[in-house]
Amino acid sequence: MTTATQRAGDTGSPYAFSHLDALESEAVHIFREVAGEFERPVILFSGGKDSIVMLHLALKAFSPAPVPFGLLHVDTGHNFPEVIAYRDRTVEQHGLRLHVASVQDYIDDGRLRERPDGTRNPLQTVPLLDAINEGRYDAVFGGGRRDEEKARAKERVFSLRDEFGAWDPRRQRPELWQLYNGRHAPGEHVRVFPLSNWTELDVWQYIAREGVELPEIYYAHERDVFSRSGMWLTAGEWGGPKDDEPVQRRLIRYRTVGDMSCTGAVDSDAATIEQVIAEIAASRLTERGATRADDKLSEAAMEDRKREGYF
Amino acid sequence: MTETLTDTLDVSATSLLRFATAGSVDDGKSTLVGRLLHDSKSVLADQLEAVEAASLRRGQDAPDLALLTDGLRAEREQGITIDVAYRYFATPRRRFILADTPGHVQYTRNMVTGASTAELAVVLVDARNGVVEQTRRHAAVAALLRVPHVVLAVNKMDLVEYAEPVFAAIAEEFTAYAASLGVPEITAIPISALAGDNVVTPSAHMDWYGGPTILEHLETVPVGTDPAHDPARFPVQYVIRPQTAEHHDYRGYAGRIASGVLRVGDPVTVLPSGATSTIAAIDALGERVDAAWAPQSVTVLLADDVDLSRGDLIAPTAAAPVPTQDVEATVCHLHERPLRVGERVLLKHGTRTVKAIVKRLPYRINLTEGLAHEDEPERLDVNDIGAVVLRTAEPLPLDAYADSRLTGSFVLIDPADGSTLTAGMTGEPFAAPATKAEQAAADDEGWDF
């Protein structure tokens, strides 16, 4: 038999525990608390690395039983095809239930209007809240991490949302020890963030340790891209490039995976997970600073979207 | 696995330290936190650019590192910090989670929240002011929450000409006070957060100081308690029953070990029912192991079919806690609505939530020097620390908080709107008996209520 001693930390104690062990154990504890206290939880699953790690943790938390929740994906209609293919493969492999809320449907029937800049990230909020109401979900797992952004640094693990999905920083409950309070009124729900204490590097180190498969666009590949707002955006049916935006073929990879219209690629030759980890450890830019156009809109962009019910 | 991947795993074999900082803006706490993040190269270029731009807009010519830790627009506009913010940084030796809490009196609840998960607390003082009332409050909160390691950071040494006697006097006064409250380990470090002395790099101005910098100390302080010394405590979160052909008879109890070590073959008692069995197997997230320890999340299988569900506690038969319906505890009240005798609440302990009623409020503690008690207060207001006697609807297997921070703690919840009202720690507030003598002396000095 083996024990976690083989991954021991720096103390030399037989009971040592590495930081990845600690983060994994905490996240599993959070999943099990929700399973024990809520009626209808759901995991937000985008096919991005954070949601993939969430699903991996959920699979481990309930092993050998299946994950007792379904998945919910808010599809902007501008998702990378590689990511959608990965999503569908994963759902089938683990026998999961997937509900897709489609931003495109909302645009097609006029409930939402396309923004002038073509960005669909802010448009996800309405379909997300509708899906939560229709699914009567009382706990919604999100992959948000506190290291991502300043407004997230004050987020709770259990984040209470009112019947409009809104987040009020002054109404959040103090979280002490490992005691999470998930009580909520009918119509309200709780967003749960099992990766709250993880950093981007932790996520990658964990992916490496666990041998988790990711969509291939996280690794270096050649792609037709064009430059907008200092980022390499992918050329495609979603609307880019404009006439004055020349397309070129570059060796790139994605650090985050979101809507194609506002998720930038980074120049990279990191083709393996070891190379990706080395690249991130040496990077002088945050994940969102490097790749997300929507967070550059204003200093408080994320705070505003969170208040409205965004992820 | 390739060689390279193995190397990566070695790099990731670092431990995790959770710590908290306490101090007011005036003490330079935000600057210290900004300095730790900046000098440990955890602040990335785009974050620094944003800080530089914001500093320029405010007419400051150098980047104000305190801006790194301001979170919400509401706070930036009002120049306040309203809550606990969590910060993350790493060195090759260790990963850090910092609970950054504002230090004013009205924020005691936030300090208590941050300290509840901390293994180390950094208390800041301004070298020009020395130990002030707020410093004593911070020491008392660290002592109440039984934070194992306390660092006194004597800041702004540059403003007292880096003079050793100034530091020595403050360190001596603080150490004596914190030790009297039962803080087991105190390390005093002279620093200048603004100039960077002894935060990450050793100071060139204080040859007389031979101790570690703040970061060196954070990197080397022992993490966690030795599980071999503590009795095992396993609150059951969830029952795993696959009911598949392959795992037809599998019935596993999922939870996170709160303290101690669990071994296959251990005789155990289930509380509060008192049923007994032995541990038949332990699954550590899909991997069968013969032993597991705090704070691992595992699934335990028992040799016998016992009635067991979420909310129960598995403990060694030889060292099981005695369940009780009468809870005496030290609390910090967290909610704007006061806590009063006769109030009906929910009490969440481990994975169990039960009804409870507030029977008595024996005293309220003033966290300033002397820790004066106000007996039988009418109510506990937000940020108040005091004693509570509760009667629960069902027996709870509580430990003394002094013995186990996780199984000796609880929260009170408002049954009507679900608010978290109060944080509770079973037993007496402070470790050292000296505290009571001091308090008696303070009472003699004539506090009038």
Side-chain angles (χ1 to χ4, degrees), chain A residues 61-100:
Chain A
F62 302 102
S63 154
V67 177
F69 333 114
L71 306 181
L72 171 62
H73 181 214
V74 182
D75 185 344
T76 63
H78 290 162
N79 282 295
F80 293 93
E82 296 91 336
V83 176
I84 298 296
Y86 175 93
R87 178 196 76 186
D88 294 341
R89 224 164 42 235
T90 304
V91 166
E92 194 181 326
Q93 183 190 340
H94 299 293
L96 300 159
R97 280 171 292 123
L98 171 72
H99 177 76
V100 178

Side-chain angles (χ1 to χ4, degrees), chain A residues 1-11 13-20 22-26 28-30 32-33 35-37 60-66 68 146-147 150-151 153-156 167 169-170 173-183 196-199 202 205 208-209 255 273-274 277 283-286 288-290 298-300 303-304 307, chain B residues 4-5 8-9 12-16 18 41 43-47 57 67 70 72-76 78 81-83 85-88 93-95 97 112-113 116-117 145 226-228 237-238 240 242 247 250 254-256 261 263 285-290 293 295-299 310 334 346 348 350-351 401 405-406 409-411 413 417-420 423-425:
Chain A
M1 286 189 202
T2 56
T3 69
T5 318
Q6 291 160 346
R7 309 197 283 257
D10 59 3
T11 64
S13 154
Y15 302 117
F17 213 50
S18 79
H19 79 283
L20 289 179
L23 293 169
E24 177 186 63
S25 173
E26 176 183 74
V28 165
H29 175 255
I30 292 163
R32 290 165 166 181
E33 281 301 281
E37 294 211 333
K60 290 185 85 167
F62 302 102
S63 154
R146 289 182 184 138
D147 83 317
K150 288 210 282 189
K154 308 212 162 177
E155 182 61 281
R156 301 298 197 277
W167 177 74
R170 289 178 186 268
R173 297 164 177 163
E175 287 179 340
L176 298 103
W177 301 289
Q178 295 174 16
L179 296 169
Y180 302 107
N181 176 359
R183 294 184 79 83
S196 285
N197 285 321
W198 298 51
T199 63
D202 297 330
Q205 288 175 336
R209 188 183 93 173
R255 257 175 99 175
I273 190 146
E274 303 83 36
I277 290 175
S283 171
R284 300 306 302 145
L285 287 179
T286 62
R288 286 192 169 265
S298 94
E299 221 183 328
E303 187 179 341
D304 291 341
R307 279 174 177 277
Chain B
T4 337
L5 188 50
T8 308
L9 287 174
S12 73
T14 50
S15 54
L16 182 71
R18 289 171 194 258
K41 309 226 180 330
V43 180
L44 300 178
D46 53 324
Q47 293 172 308
R57 277 201 304 276
L67 293 178
D70 286 354
L72 307 177
R73 182 168 54 194
E75 296 170 274
R76 286 195 295 277
Q78 295 164 38
T81 313
I82 54 174
D83 211 78
Y86 293 90
R87 314 286 169 199
Y88 302 86
R93 302 178 70 161
R94 208 165 252 185
R95 262 274 279 115
I97 300 178
V112 166
T113 302
S116 73
T117 53
L145 274 292
D226 185 351
Q237 293 185 270
Y238 189 77
I240 294 179
H247 301 283
Y250 190 100
R256 189 176 194 195
V261 183
R263 287 191 175 80
L285 305 183
E287 180 185 18
R288 221 142 263 183
V289 295
D290 49 13
W293 50 88
Q296 276 183 274
S297 282
V298 297
T299 304
R310 173 175 172 83
L334 308 166
L346 296 172
K348 184 168 189 182
T351 55
Y401 186 72
R405 291 175 84 190
L406 291 182
S409 55
F410 59 84
V411 291
I413 296 168
D417 71 2
S419 300
T420 299
M425 295 158 279

